[in-house]
Amino acid sequence: EVQLQESGPGLVKPSQSLSLTCSVTGYSITSNYWGWIRKFPGNKMEWMGYISYSGSTSYNPSLKSRISITRDTSKNQFFLQLNSVTTEDTATYYCARSPRRVGPDYWGQGVMVTVSS
Amino acid sequence: DIQMTQSPSLLSASVGDRVTINCKASQNINKYLNWYQQKLGEAPKLLIYNTNNLQTGIPSRFSGSGSGTDYTLTISSLQPEDFGTYFCFQHNSWPTFGAGTKLELK
């Protein structure tokens, strides 16, 4: 069974970088597409970007200057880095497998990240 | 970005009821519309993909329909385990989400 698990610090200071890891079991990240999604307080959700089976990436234009998604295929993990965070980046962050033309089918449980000094 | 307007935001229903949840896109999304269920503290669960395709393992009381800009999730006979939050998701172009519907026990 495909399983995803997010990990990372729950508190980040404004202007610093947010770094999260998604650990995948039961499926290789060298296949398919893998995305990051966040849910803000108040429940609005945002698709942040994804990394493909080949390592190519695509990012939400609203984040393009601040976001980076990378991977370590030897550990079957992919990563989110979001730079210059503000309090508006406070959210629950999810990783998901997202087959092309199907959308996210397996999700992690999410990790809550608060941006505060 | 395509805007997804989901309604209602809150739905009170009883076990056995037939319920419908709607999503309206700001432009044609060519049936690339998914429905998810989420319970507090859990990962979202894919119910329906591409308008009317039931994900493996999802009970047949869940169904989806629609085309163009208007889409509907129907639960034919509500079960106790169906209470939670539902949201739609379009992936015709850059993906966007509906705001969610909280389905609660009447």
Side-chain angles (χ1 to χ4, degrees):
Chain A
E1 183 188 2
V2 182
Q3 293 187 322
L4 298 92
Q5 179 67 59
E6 306 88 349
S7 59
L11 181 64
V12 180
K13 291 185 182 338
S15 81
Q16 293 189 343
S17 293
L18 179 162
S19 295
L20 298 175
T21 298
C22 183
S23 300
V24 181
T25 57
Y27 196 91
S28 173
I29 65 168
T30 59
S31 297
N32 234 305
Y33 294 79
W34 304 87
W36 286 98
I37 302 123
R38 60 182 178 176
K39 187 175 193 176
F40 298 101
N43 295 326
K44 179 185 173 183
M45 297 182 75
E46 179 179 66
W47 181 270
M48 302 180 71
Y50 68 82
I51 188 164
S52 78
Y53 55 91
S54 67
S56 63
T57 55
S58 182
Y59 301 133
N60 190 320
S62 70
L63 301 170
K64 203 161 189 177
S65 61
R66 298 197 293 135
I67 188 174
S68 176
I69 300 175
T70 57
R71 66 179 184 170
D72 183 336
T73 57
S74 68
K75 295 182 178 179
N76 216 38
Q77 295 175 326
F78 64 105
F79 311 101
L80 171 70
Q81 181 170 318
L82 187 65
N83 299 322
S84 305
V85 298
T86 72
T87 55
E88 294 187 355
D89 294 309
T90 293
T92 298
Y93 288 76
Y94 298 91
C95 58
R97 187 183 80 166
S98 188
R100 190 168 177 80
R101 286 318 193 190
V102 172
D105 56 357
Y106 289 94
W107 299 57
Q109 287 198 305
V111 59
M112 187 179 300
V113 179
T114 301
V115 179
S116 175
S117 54
Chain B
D1 282 3
I2 294 177
Q3 307 303 313
M4 301 301 297
T5 302
Q6 185 171 342
S7 62
S9 56
L10 177 63
L11 182 55
S12 299
S14 301
V15 173
D17 284 354
R18 179 183 179 91
V19 301
T20 60
I21 299 170
N22 300 293
C23 265
K24 186 175 184 66
S26 58
Q27 62 191 72
N28 181 9
I29 55 171
N30 295 304
K31 296 193 171 186
Y32 288 111
L33 188 285
N34 294 0
W35 292 100
Y36 296 86
Q37 177 196 67
Q38 189 174 24
K39 299 184 180 181
L40 204 61
E42 297 184 6
K45 180 190 294 185
L46 176 62
L47 303 173
I48 304 277
Y49 64 94
N50 297 345
T51 296
N52 55 10
N53 295 278
L54 195 65
Q55 176 69 343
T56 303
I58 301 301
S60 59
R61 63 179 180 273
F62 292 92
S63 64
S65 62
S67 63
T69 61
D70 294 293
Y71 297 84
T72 299
L73 173 70
T74 300
I75 308 173
S76 60
S77 178
L78 208 56
Q79 297 302 300
E81 61 268 29
D82 297 339
F83 294 97
T85 298
Y86 292 80
F87 60 90
C88 61
F89 168 86
Q90 70 79 21
H91 55 108
N92 180 65
S93 57
W94 188 264
T96 52
F97 295 85
T101 296
K102 184 177 180 181
L103 177 56
E104 65 173 23
L105 183 62
K106 185 185 285 184

